[in-house]
Amino acid sequence: MNDTAMTTKKVAVIGTGVIGNGWIARFLATGFEVTAFDPANGAEAKSRQNVSDAWSAIEETGMTEDADQSKLSFAPTIEEAVKGAVLIQENVPERSELKQNVLAEIDRHADTEAMIGSSTSGIIPTELQMKLQHPERFFVSHPFNPVYLLPLVELVGGKQTDRGVLEKAKEFFAALKMKPLIIEKEVEGHVADRLMEALWREALHLVNDGVATTKEIDDAITYGAGLRWAQFGPFMTFHLAGGDQGMRHMLEQFGPALQLPWTKLEAPQLTDELKERVITGCESHADGRSVAELEEKRNEFLVKLLRLVEEYRV
């Protein structure tokens, strides 16, 4: 991968759902020309509307001088979409065979120097490389919603991924004002989703067992652990919990509690009753506000929170 390729200001986005449109907004905000492909009816109109809706929040976080919503175009085929792109970001539904087939088509038509990333949240890259002619340039580049605001992107290579490509990808995404994290060992769910899934399973048990409502659980995170995690994450938070001796004392003092049966690692049976409790709980908590209204409030919050994280993160 040469330096000339890295300076190319064109990317391709294949699949324009929530994540794909989030990528489009971030790419446009950092001055890239974006060519997208999605066979769904109305995909282009929806993408343009989503970008327009996100633009004010992106402006609050800062964008490059060459940021321009008009740099988005749609192509009628994958072949035309990927032509000339330095990076192709795939975001089709989370089905292994579908992704393999789409990635194989991308690989056939992409320029020689192009990198190919997948937004998969759970499938390991080695599985997705199986049908590629050039698997060495493929990796998982897993972002977090909303992609145009949240900076983390997990980069995971498969058995055939060139380490140099991962390093180039790290530079590329850092230039997008992101926080790229190279995951050294591939595992289903990568890192962040595995952590979130553990909390999600426990939350479902608490609802299922009648211990707490969905709102009470959300409040427990919002006004407790979540505030601390936003600054330091779980390990440094526990390090501070150990007093002057930090983590050393924390493990000695609270380590034995790890053996107590507090948590349930197995997910509960997703019965109709549990589904209804979760759904009605969330709808009640929303208090009549639409998803679009809640997203707007979320974006306002994240903009302010990101500023605090940058100021106080150590």
Side-chain angles (χ1 to χ4, degrees), residues 89-159:
Q89 186 70 29
E90 170 271 312
N91 319 277
V92 302
E94 199 81 343
R95 298 196 297 273
S96 182
E97 185 176 3
L98 172 63
K99 282 185 174 289
Q100 287 175 345
N101 291 337
V102 170
L103 287 166
E105 185 172 357
I106 291 171
D107 187 44
R108 281 196 301 273
H109 299 299
D111 289 3
T112 304
E113 297 294 331
M115 298 180 291
I116 302 173
S118 173
S119 295
T120 179
S121 60
I123 306 173
I124 61 174
T126 292
E127 182 176 339
L128 296 177
Q129 287 176 316
M130 292 175 59
K131 296 182 179 180
L132 302 187
Q133 297 175 8
H134 304 285
E136 69 282 352
R137 61 176 173 173
F138 171 80
F139 51 86
V140 163
S141 41
H142 173 232
F144 293 83
N145 184 45
V147 183
Y148 52 85
L149 290 181
L150 293 185
L152 180 63
V153 56
E154 296 176 315
L155 303 179
V156 195
K159 290 181 179 179

Side-chain angles (χ1 to χ4, degrees), residues 5 14 33 35 38 55 62 75 87 95 112 114 128 177 201 203 213 232 269 280 295 305 313:
I14 308 302
E33 176 187 343
T35 304
D38 193 310
W55 208 249
L87 170 78
R95 298 196 297 273
T112 304
L128 296 177
K177 300 182 179 181
R201 287 194 295 269
T213 66
F232 284 133
Q269 184 70 30
T280 58
E295 285 178 340
L305 182 60
R313 186 80 165 93

